[in-house]
Amino acid sequence: MDEIAADPSHPRYASLLMRYRLEAAAERGMLAGSAMIAHGRGEAFDYLLGERTTASATVACRQALAVLQAAKRPVLSVNGNVAALACDDMLRLADLFKCPLEVNIFYRTPERMEAILSYINERKKVLGLDVSVLGDAPNATIPGLKGPRAACHREGILESDAILVPLEDGDRCQALVAMGKDVVVIDLNPLSRSAKQATITIVDELSRALNTMLDLAATEGRLTIDEAYDHHAILEEGLTEILSGLNNA
Ligand code: ATP
């Protein structure tokens, strides 16, 4: 996908760029009909956050990175919006963890799966990364889920011990947690079911969160897991930062 022609000095450039990426992905058949609505909900929360990475989001990023680095079988889950908005950074992160990236979408159709997989494989070639991209031949199911959205790869999501699932739906997040995995969610809405149910939730915009993790890994290498990490306290801090932003406006 070509990048947007808008001037990078435009105050809303980052937001315009993400909208453009979604538009281009929609044209390629990568997105579900509700993708723009999900993005709009995220944008609203980002506006309230001041479109910045907060202190509590950085703490969550550190813990997420440490847990994924320490995992024996990490996996990164990608849906249509994630592929559209941050495909390259997800590939870079998979390369860093030497783990597979698995396409796993809520509204699964062969056409959408093919559109997303071919885009990711295109970008993988451009970046020259040797990352295993799964999703084309699911051979297992996530216990507790019904229908096509339960489908997954045994060697990917099913047998993983830690999983990054940005912009995940609450049911699937709950099913993954019930399997005993460490589940890292990136979601701008600290009140969403996924945000509450995950093991670690990064309340930040997807591409900012991924960049924070990539930068931390580049500057600090292997991070230490904080055994006293308090998921609920970090979520509360995210919510407080949104509310204090309103008071300061
Ligand atoms: P849940 O089932 O967890 O309650 P939901 O139904 O509110 O979730 P979905 O439509 O499944 O939400 O997914 C959209 C979620 O992703 C929203 O919570 C939204 O805030 C978040 N979101 C959308 N775009 C981004 C983004 N670019 N970065 C981070 N979060 C985002």
Side-chain angles (χ1 to χ4, degrees):
M1 285 184 260
D2 294 332
E3 290 296 61
I4 189 173
D7 175 1
S9 67
H10 188 288
R12 305 218 52 75
Y13 178 75
S15 166
L16 292 173
L17 176 62
M18 293 305 153
R19 288 183 178 190
Y20 171 81
R21 287 184 181 169
L22 284 173
E23 242 181 274
E27 275 169 27
R28 290 178 68 123
M30 290 164 56
L31 303 186
S34 57
M36 304 294 183
I37 299 170
H39 186 73
R41 173 134 67 197
E43 276 196 346
F45 277 97
D46 205 15
Y47 214 99
L48 297 175
L49 262 182
E51 295 172 320
R52 72 201 156 96
T53 297
T54 62
S56 61
T58 306
V59 172
C61 275
R62 294 187 73 88
Q63 182 75 350
L65 184 61
V67 165
L68 289 163
Q69 284 173 330
K72 287 199 173 68
R73 301 194 62 163
V75 67
L76 311 188
S77 177
V78 174
N79 63 19
N81 280 39
V82 174
L85 296 171
C87 181
D88 290 8
D89 289 337
M90 289 298 281
L91 281 165
R92 288 188 188 105
L93 217 48
D95 184 55
L96 183 82
F97 299 135
K98 300 286 167 240
C99 79
L101 195 148
E102 180 164 342
V103 178
N104 195 283
I105 61 180
F106 193 87
Y107 300 108
R108 185 184 278 262
T109 66
E111 295 77 16
R112 276 191 65 221
M113 286 300 291
E114 171 51 28
I116 296 169
L117 283 162
S118 72
Y119 177 62
I120 295 173
N121 283 315
E122 240 175 62
R123 294 304 308 166
K124 183 177 112 169
K125 225 180 250 175
V126 171
L127 298 175
L129 297 177
D130 181 22
V131 171
S132 159
V133 180
L134 306 175
D136 57 332
N139 53 5
T141 53
I142 300 171
L145 291 180
K146 287 196 187 114
R149 71 200 176 101
C152 70
H153 280 240
R154 175 169 296 282
E155 67 278 29
I157 288 178
L158 192 81
E159 292 186 341
S160 63
D161 54 350
I163 178 166
L164 173 64
V165 278
L167 324 186
E168 185 51 282
D169 131 86
D171 275 10
R172 200 153 46 189
C173 178
Q174 188 172 29
L176 294 167
V177 171
M179 290 170 81
K181 301 179 192 305
D182 283 318
V183 179
V184 179
V185 157
I186 300 172
D187 192 329
L188 278 156
N189 176 6
L191 300 171
S192 78
R193 288 177 307 147
S194 310
K196 289 190 209 158
Q197 286 160 359
T199 323
I200 301 165
T201 296
I202 303 167
V203 179
D204 201 3
E205 194 277 324
L206 171 66
S207 59
R208 289 202 306 268
L210 297 178
N211 275 304
T212 301
M213 280 199 269
L214 287 164
D215 287 349
L216 282 169
T219 52
E220 298 188 27
R222 213 171 168 81
L223 271 63
T224 309
I225 294 176
D226 175 3
E227 299 298 343
Y229 185 82
D230 185 338
H231 166 66
H232 291 286
I234 292 291
L235 261 191
E236 283 284 336
E237 273 185 49
L239 193 55
T240 305
E241 276 167 301
I242 287 174
L243 297 172
S244 63
L246 287 180
N247 291 334
N248 296 335

